Amino acid sequence: MNDQQPNRIHSAVQLLTERALATLQHFLHVEAISGIVLLVAAAAALLWVNSPFAHSYHDLWNLPITLRLGEFVFVRSVHFWINDALMTVFFLVVGMEMRREIHEGALSRLDQAILPVLAACGGVIVPALIYLGFNSVAGRSHGWAIPTATDIAFAVGVLALLGRSIPSNVRVFLLALAIIDDIIAVLIIALFFSGGLEPSGFVVAASGVLLALALQRLGFGSALAYVVPAFIVWAGFLIAGVHPTLAGVVLGLITPVRSTGPETVPPVVRVEAALHPWVAYAIMPLFALANAGVDLRGIEFGGGAQFVALGIGLALCVGKPIGVIGATWLAVRFGGCRLAADVSWAGVCLIGLLAGIGFTMSVFIATLAFTDDKLLDAAKFGVLVGSLISVTFGLGWGAEYAQRQRNAQS
């Protein structure tokens, strides 16, 4: 009997490890392919808006969609429903990623989390300072947060193009860094890009959260049961003046991480796995198609718009690598941190370069930061150029790094 107990424990640990690795591999596979889909959607938007059919691009996203509930009528454009409603599902998956990583992943232990956390902080602070160095004046300074985020799908997609010679721990470091970047971006949106707050909205949102927790307590396992409380939380945030997409983060963070009843897979894993392909292959590309359309013929770089584009571009392709690599070096040199096995400084440099790819979240923050179309177009242009340069540098350095890895293994 005593001999069987350790065997059972070993088998359980092995099963959990294999399940975690399978989840990570599936996540990386989806992200890698979706990065290509995102690129195609962004390219399509650019071609469309710079073609003779540009008017149809703008007309499509400005079409009104009406929601009727009895006498209640809510009319918003297609653009609103994509950016403020569908992107809530994107943030729901982000929230679930955070919840899972805090429970059993890269953020579950302080000694594991501290290095990517510090690296991510460096990758937020330095780009923000570079941007403000060009845009400290009122009106343009609101864009300081645009170059602080990393696009997980694009970054992991570029890393996948480099092949299997890249050590797995480098991929994990990049993934942890990008997730922490998302957490910081969510906090920035909540703190700096919300309007005048209406207390009654928070009461509505809290009632939705309590309803979701009550359904969990009662054992409701169907995702459909949580549509109503999710809508209540979303509507509450909208009423409160907080960006409604943050409802997704809140709901993701309260998703159970332990299996209940006959289910062997925890709800946070099951729901995330179900939603992730929809987010990666439909919602994010649709967001890119609706937001990446920058009329390059009509960009006006007067009135400070040129400094917005320049500040964002340099912050992404220069500030991000300096911040990530510099913070990592300081943490290892003076903070008592250690690089994981198989993560060399060449690998850290690759991570820093890829961290400069800031498409989805950067464009999203730009839509919140600027209401002036001229500044918004300049910001999007800066994001596109900075991200493209980061992709180029990342692929160039990564190809050299991958070749070194193959030579070392042969």
Side-chain angles (χ1 to χ4, degrees), residues 121-260:
C121 289
V124 168
I125 294 170
V126 174
L129 291 176
I130 288 178
Y131 176 85
L132 289 173
F134 290 92
N135 300 279
S136 59
V137 299
R140 302 203 312 262
S141 60
H142 291 151
W144 65 269
I146 296 171
T148 60
T150 297
D151 190 296
I152 298 177
F154 266 142
V156 173
V158 171
L159 197 62
L161 293 176
L162 297 173
R164 297 183 178 275
S165 299
I166 305 300
S168 59
N169 278 343
V170 171
R171 299 173 188 271
V172 171
F173 195 127
L174 176 62
L175 188 59
L177 173 72
I179 289 173
I180 296 162
D181 255 4
D182 277 348
I183 295 173
I184 297 173
V186 165
L187 293 174
I188 288 172
I189 292 170
L191 294 174
F192 298 100
F193 294 101
S194 297
L197 301 182
E198 172 56 51
S200 62
F202 290 108
V203 175
V204 174
S207 66
V209 172
L210 291 174
L211 179 57
L213 292 173
L215 292 175
Q216 290 178 15
R217 189 80 175 181
L218 293 171
F220 282 83
S222 173
L224 292 176
Y226 296 90
V227 172
V228 171
F231 178 77
I232 293 173
V233 177
W234 182 86
F237 277 10
L238 185 65
I239 295 169
V242 177
H243 203 273
T245 52
L246 296 180
V249 178
V250 172
L251 293 167
L253 288 173
I254 64 172
T255 305
V257 292
R258 289 186 171 84
S259 303
T260 56

Side-chain angles (χ1 to χ4, degrees), residues 64-152:
I65 294 180
T66 304
L67 176 66
R68 296 179 183 274
L69 294 173
E71 296 183 358
F72 175 77
V73 179
F74 188 71
V75 183
R76 290 293 187 275
S77 66
V78 174
H79 196 268
F80 170 87
W81 289 110
I82 292 172
N83 283 26
D84 292 44
L86 280 182
M87 285 296 284
T88 304
V89 183
F90 164 77
F91 279 98
L92 174 62
V93 172
V94 170
M96 289 179 178
E97 290 170 11
M98 296 178 193
R99 183 74 179 95
R100 185 165 48 79
E101 292 294 327
I102 290 170
H103 176 66
E104 61 180 6
L107 307 179
S108 60
R109 288 172 46 191
L110 183 61
D111 59 346
Q112 291 178 328
I114 191 65
L115 191 56
V117 166
L118 293 175
C121 289
V124 168
I125 294 170
V126 174
L129 291 176
I130 288 178
Y131 176 85
L132 289 173
F134 290 92
N135 300 279
S136 59
V137 299
R140 302 203 312 262
S141 60
H142 291 151
W144 65 269
I146 296 171
T148 60
T150 297
D151 190 296
I152 298 177

Side-chain angles (χ1 to χ4, degrees), residues 382-405:
V383 170
L384 294 173
V385 172
S387 297
L388 181 60
I389 294 173
S390 296
V391 169
T392 305
F393 286 171
L395 283 174
W397 179 265
E400 175 66 22
Y401 174 59
Q403 184 61 49
R404 291 186 202 170
Q405 293 295 119

Side-chain angles (χ1 to χ4, degrees), residues 265-357:
V265 180
V268 71
V269 176
R270 188 174 72 251
V271 178
E272 183 186 353
L275 291 178
H276 193 202
W278 288 97
V279 169
Y281 300 137
I283 293 175
M284 289 174 65
L286 186 59
F287 172 83
L289 187 63
N291 289 277
V294 179
D295 189 346
L296 301 178
R297 303 164 300 178
I299 290 183
E300 298 179 12
F301 285 119
Q306 70 273 26
F307 295 111
V308 170
L310 180 63
I312 291 172
L314 285 177
L316 284 172
C317 67
V318 177
K320 269 287 188 180
I322 291 176
V324 169
I325 298 167
T328 303
W329 184 83
L330 289 172
V332 171
R333 180 70 177 82
F334 301 107
C337 295
R338 292 186 303 170
L339 295 178
D342 296 328
V343 178
S344 63
W345 284 108
V348 173
C349 290
L350 176 59
I351 291 168
L353 291 170
L354 295 181
I357 305 172

